[in-house]
Amino acid sequence: MRALIAAATGLALALALVLTITAMGPQTGGTSPKPLLTTVPAHP
């Protein structure tokens, strides 16, 4: 019985966290102007 209560509590907390993040809306940040390095530089 305790495991069922713990699972239900965890699920409720996870759902509350998702709803809170969703309610805050999208982030207003932007992307970095610097490109990411996708290749390894040549060794001298």
Side-chain angles (χ1 to χ4, degrees), residues 19-44:
L19 290 176
T20 301
I21 292 173
T22 303
M24 290 189 330
Q27 297 293 327
T28 58
T31 58
S32 173
K34 290 185 175 182
L36 295 174
L37 294 177
T38 57
T39 59
V40 177
H43 292 286

Side-chain angles (χ1 to χ4, degrees), residues 1 3-5 7 11-14 16-18 21 25 27-28 30 33 37 40 44:
M1 189 67 175
L4 184 62
I5 293 171
L11 184 62
L13 288 175
L17 179 64
V18 168
I21 292 173
Q27 297 293 327
T28 58
L37 294 177
V40 177

